[in-house]
């Protein structure tokens, strides 16, 4: 195969939601996006023809396929630690898989991968028994956007020479306003669900300055 054909085949095999083995075996799922249609010809023999004791070409390719999904799931777990803990490993993994189908990774930065996860969660069966998970996802995403941005501060946080009576709070350019129906801002995944609220606006991110 040409380099372009090889790259397209590798992308198809490594990112297929059914895994490398089932994809190459011809398995499919109804409703999969067109990018998961099998290429016209296989490139398996061209990428791993050298012999390795105990491991065939498919085995070695499957290692990279599993690693691809594992790294993306790990990146989202770091961004949504409380959501992952509240859902559990299996349900969170299913959410990540559904999210990648709807919003595949297209950015060089994994910081963009979690965008829209709360929208994906709205259609998840898990949400039916825990509707507050959507608010939790929205708050954790907003927090990540704030802390991954360069908010900048006009003054140091602590300065004993300043007149503290003149201190003012000013919104940073990266501040996010998230309207939530559940008290999820300081909630910890301890087995007790958060308390319902009536559309409380939640401000994520601010800075201090002196006027």
């Amino acid at each position: 195969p040409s380099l372009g054909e090889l790259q397209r085949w590798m992308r198809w095999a490594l990112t297929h939601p059914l895994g490398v083995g089932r994809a190459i075996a011809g398995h499919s799922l109804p409703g999969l996006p067109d990018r998961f249609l099998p290429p016209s010809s296989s490139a398996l023999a061209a990428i791993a023809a050298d012999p390795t004791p105990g491991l065939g070409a498919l085995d070695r390719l499957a290692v990279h396929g599993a690693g691809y999904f594992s790294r993306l799931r790990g990146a989202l777990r770091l961004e949504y630690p409380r959501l992952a803990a509240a859902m559990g490993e299996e349900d969170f993994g299913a959410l990540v898989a559904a999210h990648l189908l709807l919003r595949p990774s297209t950015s060089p930065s994994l910081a963009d991968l979690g965008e829209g996860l709360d929208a994906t969660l709205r259609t998840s069966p898990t949400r039916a028994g825990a509707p507050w998970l959507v608010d939790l996802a929205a708050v954790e995403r907003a927090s990540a956007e704030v802390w991954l941005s360069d908010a900048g501060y006009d003054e140091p946080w602590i300065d004993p020479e300043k007149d503290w009576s003149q201190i003012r709070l000013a919104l940073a350019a990266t501040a996010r306003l998230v309207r939530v129906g559940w008290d999820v801002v300081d909630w910890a995944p301890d087995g007790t669900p958060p308390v319902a609220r009536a559309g409380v606006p939640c401000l994520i991110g601010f800075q201090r300055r002196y006027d």
Side-chain angles (χ1 to χ4, degrees):
S2 67
L3 178 59
E5 291 171 333
L6 179 60
Q7 290 175 326
R8 284 189 291 271
W9 187 87
M10 287 282 288
R11 180 184 63 181
W12 167 79
L14 294 179
T15 64
H16 201 285
L18 291 178
V20 171
R22 295 181 66 188
I24 293 178
H27 297 177
S28 185
L29 286 173
L32 283 181
D34 289 345
R35 67 180 181 275
F36 294 118
L37 292 175
S40 56
S41 59
S42 173
L44 181 62
I47 63 169
D50 56 308
T52 299
L55 291 175
L58 181 58
D59 298 318
R60 284 176 283 166
L61 189 64
V63 171
H64 294 284
Y68 169 79
F69 179 75
S70 179
R71 286 189 294 274
L72 297 185
R73 181 177 55 190
L76 289 176
R77 188 187 295 111
L78 288 175
E79 184 173 320
Y80 296 90
R82 291 186 295 159
L83 179 65
M87 296 186 69
E89 186 69 23
E90 183 176 348
D91 285 342
F92 185 72
L95 173 64
V96 172
H99 183 66
L100 292 176
L101 283 177
L102 294 173
R103 298 172 179 262
S105 178
T106 58
S107 170
S109 173
L110 286 177
D112 298 325
L113 185 63
E115 184 177 356
L117 188 70
D118 57 324
T120 303
L121 187 54
R122 291 182 189 278
T123 63
S124 171
T126 306
R127 174 185 176 270
W132 48 270
L133 289 174
V134 175
D135 281 358
L136 179 60
V139 168
E140 290 202 293
R141 176 60 191 176
S143 300
E145 290 177 350
V146 169
W147 293 113
L148 288 172
S149 302
D150 183 14
Y153 293 96
D154 296 332
E155 296 285 346
W157 285 96
I158 300 176
D159 187 344
E161 302 299 323
K162 293 292 183 179
D163 182 0
W164 285 86
S165 66
Q166 299 301 312
I167 194 171
R168 300 292 184 271
L169 293 180
L171 291 180
T174 57
R176 299 290 188 273
L177 186 64
V178 182
R179 188 169 294 277
V180 296
W182 300 82
D183 191 9
V184 295
V185 176
D186 297 319
W187 175 81
D190 57 0
T192 304
V195 178
R197 300 294 185 189
V200 178
C202 173
L203 179 64
I204 308 294
F206 60 87
Q207 69 183 60
R208 294 183 181 184
R209 75 179 184 192
Y210 297 92
D211 294 332

